[in-house]
Amino acid sequence: MMNHKVLPGVEVKYMDNHLYFRSPSTGDYRNKIMKEGWVKTNDIFSPDTPRRPLGRSDDYAKSDSGLLYHSTQIEDTLDKRFGVNAYILNNNHGKHVFIEEGGQTHEAADFLKKSFPEILNIQVLPKEDVLPLLQREKGKSAKDILKKKYLAG
């Protein structure tokens, strides 16, 4: 664990591969404050390169073997292995996976349930529901559209 001063009155530390900070103004982060006023940022760092973030912990899912996988790795695996389009989204209630019907949809859902127990919400969407959404909201990513439709609020 390393502590650094980055700005006057702001302290930063790396602990358990995550970045934490505290300052006199951390009262704005009450729901994330840990012991002694430290706030976890969800930025992941390697102990070997503490100044270069690897990503955000919300973008990763822990497998049943304890390894972390980025959501794009999981989506790519589902596409290659089961022939399905999948979208992994996060909100305050955890990780959600939307699988577009087609290919081996149910096998993909079973694989997710078994391999990534922290992903609690897996929803299969009929292809006829997904395509009109994407066509109606051109210029937006599928993830943004699905998040707005299914995870708003």
Side-chain angles (χ1 to χ4, degrees):
M1 175 175 64
M2 297 181 286
N3 286 19
H4 300 282
K5 293 253 188 211
V6 288
L7 296 169
V10 178
E11 292 178 273
V12 173
K13 73 176 176 179
Y14 303 95
M15 185 172 70
D16 301 325
N17 294 348
H18 282 85
L19 175 68
Y20 294 81
F21 77 93
R22 72 177 172 187
S23 75
S25 63
T26 53
D28 297 341
Y29 300 92
R30 282 184 203 108
N31 61 339
K32 290 186 172 187
I33 290 184
M34 293 183 44
K35 197 175 183 180
E36 300 173 13
W38 289 101
V39 178
K40 183 177 179 181
T41 65
N42 287 340
D43 294 308
I44 300 176
F45 290 81
S46 165
D48 302 328
T49 56
R51 294 185 183 265
R52 191 172 353 136
L54 299 174
R56 306 243 333 131
S57 59
D58 356 10
D59 294 333
Y60 288 81
K62 189 180 285 189
S63 71
D64 56 344
S65 63
L67 297 175
L68 289 177
Y69 290 89
H70 194 273
S71 58
T72 56
Q73 290 175 296
I74 300 168
E75 292 164 350
D76 290 346
T77 298
L78 294 174
D79 178 28
K80 290 176 184 154
R81 191 165 170 189
F82 301 103
V84 298
N85 289 325
Y87 309 96
I88 299 175
L89 305 171
N90 300 296
N91 71 1
N92 294 338
H93 304 291
K95 293 183 184 2
H96 303 267
V97 180
F98 295 95
I99 301 174
E100 190 177 314
E101 198 172 46
Q104 297 174 306
T105 306
H106 299 291
E107 292 86 347
D110 290 342
F111 167 78
L112 283 172
K113 288 176 192 167
K114 186 187 294 182
S115 302
F116 296 94
E118 76 171 23
I119 299 175
L120 301 176
N121 184 0
I122 300 169
Q123 188 172 350
V124 176
L125 300 175
K127 196 175 270 289
E128 58 269 12
D129 286 357
V130 176
L131 290 176
L133 272 177
L134 298 178
Q135 291 168 349
R136 188 170 54 234
E137 302 208 29
K138 289 187 176 150
K140 291 188 177 179
S141 75
K143 286 186 176 186
D144 287 341
I145 294 166
L146 292 169
K147 193 170 204 169
K148 178 180 166 186
K149 178 169 173 85
Y150 295 100
L151 301 179

